[in-house]
Structure formats: structure tokens, C-alpha cells
Amino acid sequence: MDYEFRRDPFGGYRARFSMGHEAIGQWLIDEVGKDEEKLDALFAVIDQLSCRSLAEYKLLGGDYSLLLTQEEAEVKANVLNIEQDEDLDDLAYYDDEQLAMCGLEDFAQVLTSWRAFIRNEDMG
């Protein structure tokens, strides 16, 4: 999984992820942003999952939700949880941009990189 973080011309953040992992970048922007307390809480959960003292963790966000297990992380757009009428199959959502999974260690590395990026940006 490849990714890069940038600051846009309007002072906002951008997270670009490789194909199939785009939802993780959008989740970072929409649900985490510059909230270091949320990052601290996620790192604590990841430690518990890694030590096998926790089986799974769910975090429901405004647009995206996160599911962490002892092996992987899943980011899913909440819109995918809405039951669709079977007649609307031709209008199915583009899941690649709304659902992404990766290993728990890789996810922890993404969070570490994100924290370093936002701290560096805040320092100028």
C-alpha cells in the first residue's frame, strides 16, 4: 500500500492512497484530521489488539467507520451499510473508494506517518 500526505493550497490536508486503499485516506481526512487524542486512543487499541487482550474494536464515524481486529483494519463508508433496493443494482456504489482493508501493522504505520505529517505541518 502506497500513500502520500500533502497540504492543499487552501490549508487543508490531502491523503492519497494507492488503488484499493483510497478509503483509508478519506477516513484520515474526514474522521481523524488533526485530532491527536483520537490517534492516541487508536494506538492504545492497536496495542491491546496486538497483545491479544482485545478481540476487535469498532469506531463509528460520521462518514466512515473503522473495524480493527487482531490481524487487520477495515475502513468502510457508512453509505455501504444502507440496504439497497435490488432494482438499483446497476447504480451500485464504487466500492473501491468506499471500502479498504489492510494489515493491522500496516494500519499502525499509516497512523504513525499521519501523526508525523500533521505535527510537522503544525510546526511550519
Side-chain angles (χ1 to χ4, degrees), residues 5-61:
F5 306 129
R6 291 192 175 189
R7 186 128 177 166
D8 70 25
F10 305 105
Y13 294 131
R14 296 284 171 244
R16 178 174 286 161
F17 278 70
S18 57
M19 188 176 217
H21 296 100
E22 298 98 335
I24 296 172
Q26 200 58 50
W27 173 81
L28 277 172
I29 299 297
D30 293 348
E31 307 295 342
V32 176
K34 293 170 48 173
D35 189 343
E36 289 208 49
E37 288 181 17
K38 187 174 273 188
L39 286 169
D40 290 340
L42 287 167
F43 282 118
V45 166
I46 290 170
D47 286 343
Q48 291 176 1
L49 290 164
S50 297
C51 294
R52 307 256 187 240
S53 61
L54 185 64
E56 71 175 30
Y57 174 79
K58 294 179 185 178
L59 179 63
L60 180 62

Side-chain angles (χ1 to χ4, degrees), residues 62-81:
D63 293 320
Y64 287 84
S65 294
L66 173 68
L67 171 65
L68 299 177
T69 67
Q70 295 173 349
E71 288 82 32
E72 68 181 10
E74 176 186 280
V75 173
K76 183 177 180 181
N78 293 337
V79 71
L80 295 179
N81 292 328

Side-chain angles (χ1 to χ4, degrees), residues 50-120:
S50 297
C51 294
R52 307 256 187 240
S53 61
L54 185 64
E56 71 175 30
Y57 174 79
K58 294 179 185 178
L59 179 63
L60 180 62
D63 293 320
Y64 287 84
S65 294
L66 173 68
L67 171 65
L68 299 177
T69 67
Q70 295 173 349
E71 288 82 32
E72 68 181 10
E74 176 186 280
V75 173
K76 183 177 180 181
N78 293 337
V79 71
L80 295 179
N81 292 328
I82 299 171
E83 291 189 27
Q84 298 177 15
D85 187 326
E86 290 181 27
D87 294 334
L88 298 178
D89 284 341
D90 291 337
L91 302 175
Y93 295 101
Y94 179 58
D95 291 351
D96 285 350
E97 291 181 359
Q98 298 190 37
L99 175 66
M101 292 181 277
C102 67
L104 188 63
E105 289 180 23
D106 291 337
F107 187 72
Q109 182 57 50
V110 166
L111 294 181
T112 299
S113 297
W114 181 251
R115 180 189 301 223
F117 171 73
I118 62 174
R119 283 181 175 171
N120 186 43

